[in-house]
Amino acid sequence: MGGHQDLERLADSARAELVREIELSGAWAADPVWREAFATVPRHLFVPSYHVGVRGGYERRWGEHPDPAARERWVRGAYADTPLATRLRDGELLSSSSQPSLMATMLVELGVADGDRVLEIGAGTGYNAALLAHRLGDDDLVTTVDLDPEITESARRHLTAAGYHPAVVTGDGARGVPERAPFDRIIATCALPEIPRAWLAQCRPGGRILAPLATGLVALTVHDAEHAEGHFLHTPAYFLPLRGTGRTGPEPPGLAGVPRRARDDDLFRFLLALSRSGLDPQEAHALWEREDAPRRERYGITVRGERAWAWLDDPEGPYAWPFA
């Protein structure tokens, strides 16, 4: 095996297996229309090369490798339900293709309907934009933006190869894409330190913003250009930071008095990241203990004018603190 037709047959088989795996995870139980998008869009065209972690660094896999066995590994890896590192610079990961089952969860939670205009922040390989374009059936309804011109150029190239032509914009995702607004849905595929106010202004009232924050995914309903609010989803999510905004910062000091079982707990670390600008670690730990390690979906974010705050259970309740 290893010829072009053999690789395409292998890709079809591997893609069908990925779809079955995502289906078993229950990711699109609420909106099975996404099954057809994942079954059709060829992920391998969006990752002509990628890197997998090996001891001491990364190993590159690519579709033009002279060894047929290596090309097979590339195809199979392209349809694994794992994130793929697609762009490195001096050993630093700059861009990746997200885990497909997490992408499916996010796309379902985005709640798109026929005719919706969607803005994606973080073009990546172009695969997510292709899934959106396929689902909506109209390339012009989808806009994807990235700060890095190399990333947007490669995403555009991958999309063309797969037969999709959404708008691919090079620019600062934190500023949105005002010339293509208004949008019904905004989805970010990069970690944020806060919710950019420009997104609220570019999203129609009643629209939805889904974005990674503090190792979680927050789903906000936009009420108007200055007000949005919503809960986190139950699932953890780890993404590269939005370029241009800086990283989320080092772990805060003051953890010495926090018990090891809390410091090692994913839900406490989520609270710690969410409360970075409003609670110190001791306060966060007291809250975590008092409320019996609350799960992600009990937390939420409110943006109103110049203010933004995080909260537990109730945006106006006793557990609320400034966010970013």
Side-chain angles (χ1 to χ4, degrees), residues 93-106:
L93 180 60
L94 297 181
S95 185
S96 64
S97 180
S98 300
Q99 182 178 9
S101 58
L102 178 58
M103 296 172 70
T105 295
M106 293 177 68

Side-chain angles (χ1 to χ4, degrees), residues 48-49 79 124 261 270 283 314:
S49 72
Y79 289 102
R261 69 180 185 85
F270 166 70
E283 290 176 304
D314 181 354

Side-chain angles (χ1 to χ4, degrees), residues 88-227:
L88 299 172
R89 184 177 297 157
D90 298 326
E92 180 184 5
L93 180 60
L94 297 181
S95 185
S96 64
S97 180
S98 300
Q99 182 178 9
S101 58
L102 178 58
M103 296 172 70
T105 295
M106 293 177 68
L107 289 168
V108 168
E109 291 290 345
L110 189 62
V112 299
D114 293 348
D116 278 351
R117 298 183 61 81
V118 180
L119 172 62
E120 178 193 31
I121 311 296
T125 65
Y127 180 50
N128 202 57
L131 291 166
L132 283 162
H134 187 91
R135 160 65 181 87
L136 291 168
D138 185 346
D139 290 342
D140 191 55
L141 293 175
V142 179
T143 303
T144 184
V145 59
D146 203 287
L147 188 63
D148 190 328
E150 292 184 7
I151 289 177
T152 52
E153 178 54 37
S154 65
R156 190 179 292 111
R157 189 166 59 247
H158 301 156
L159 284 157
T160 299
Y164 300 97
H165 301 89
V168 181
V169 177
T170 302
D172 183 354
R175 298 180 180 179
V177 184
E179 65 272 22
R180 298 272 299 170
F183 302 101
D184 300 283
R185 299 289 187 269
I186 297 177
I187 182 170
T189 57
C190 43
L192 305 171
E194 61 182 341
I195 300 297
R197 300 304 195 275
W199 297 2
L200 275 62
Q202 293 173 34
C203 198
R204 288 191 177 100
R208 192 168 175 88
I209 295 173
L210 183 66
L213 282 173
T215 77
L217 293 166
V218 69
L220 303 175
T221 297
V222 176
H223 298 286
D224 56 49
E226 294 193 345
H227 181 204

